[in-house]
Amino acid sequence: MKYAGVLFMLCLVVMACQHSKKQETVATEEEEVVSPFSEEDTTEVVKLVTEYLDYLKKQEFDSALQMLHHLQNDSVSDLSEKEMSDLKQQYKTFPVLSYTIDGITLNDEQDTEVKYSIEFFKRVSGQEDIPNTMNFCLNPQKIDGVWHLGVLNR
């Protein structure tokens, strides 16, 4: 019985040491993850997206379209006339009455995404089952120190 008690205590000490090593490993791994973006970057992205959505809400479609670009390999290019025309038609068909920024993902320079939703008509009595929102994504990227709103290629 004396040996059983010593063996039991030894097992507790070994388990405690192993648990302590696991916690140190997790803490070390968490410290190594460093975001390439700052709080100011997040603020700038929110500001850009909010400005874009405010233009849509005020039906200033040309101003909103001027904010959108194709972003590829650190280059910025304008949308084509056809793309702008198609988007303008979409804006007219689904007007932005209100909007919500649902999420921002800034993993690295190429892996970014802003999800937002818009309400395009007000529900009236009897229309509770009809969806009145749509979800969209933008792809903001920081190129040469400047944030740009990118459209995802379709």
Side-chain angles (χ1 to χ4, degrees):
M1 207 53 166
K2 179 178 167 185
Y3 293 110
V6 171
L7 185 60
F8 177 73
M9 293 298 286
L10 184 61
C11 286
L12 282 177
V13 170
V14 169
M15 287 175 35
C17 289
Q18 288 177 342
H19 181 71
S20 175
K21 286 182 184 178
K22 285 182 185 176
Q23 285 182 338
E24 287 177 16
T25 304
V26 170
T28 303
E29 289 174 0
E30 288 177 2
E31 291 171 7
E32 292 176 7
V33 176
V34 177
S35 173
F37 300 111
S38 66
E39 188 176 322
E40 289 80 22
D41 288 314
T42 304
T43 302
E44 182 65 24
V45 168
V46 169
K47 180 181 158 219
L48 273 174
V49 173
T50 300
E51 182 179 0
Y52 167 74
L53 293 170
D54 283 342
Y55 281 139
L56 293 181
K57 191 173 178 180
K58 294 185 281 187
Q59 296 188 0
E60 295 177 13
F61 303 136
D62 291 331
S63 296
L65 287 167
Q66 294 303 315
M67 295 183 71
L68 299 180
H69 305 280
H70 287 290
L71 308 172
Q72 188 172 11
N73 299 331
D74 291 337
S75 67
V76 180
S77 60
D78 293 332
L79 301 178
S80 70
E81 289 298 322
K82 174 151 179 34
E83 289 171 315
M84 290 173 69
S85 174
D86 291 347
L87 282 170
K88 190 181 271 192
Q89 184 59 46
Q90 176 185 316
Y91 298 156
K92 290 177 182 178
T93 304
F94 301 104
V96 176
L97 302 182
S98 65
Y99 63 84
T100 304
I101 298 175
D102 301 316
I104 298 174
T105 304
L106 301 175
N107 291 325
D108 61 42
E109 284 84 15
Q110 303 298 318
D111 185 13
T112 61
E113 183 178 75
V114 175
K115 294 180 181 180
Y116 66 93
S117 56
I118 65 160
E119 178 185 39
F120 59 95
F121 73 87
K122 295 287 183 192
R123 286 189 175 141
V124 294
S125 181
Q127 293 183 332
E128 289 80 14
D129 294 339
I130 300 173
N132 67 337
T133 61
M134 294 177 71
N135 300 318
F136 297 94
C137 292
L138 291 171
N139 177 232
Q141 288 186 20
K142 191 174 188 178
I143 298 175
D144 295 330
V146 178
W147 280 100
H148 302 275
L149 290 181
V151 294
L152 297 173
N153 291 335
R154 304 175 207 209

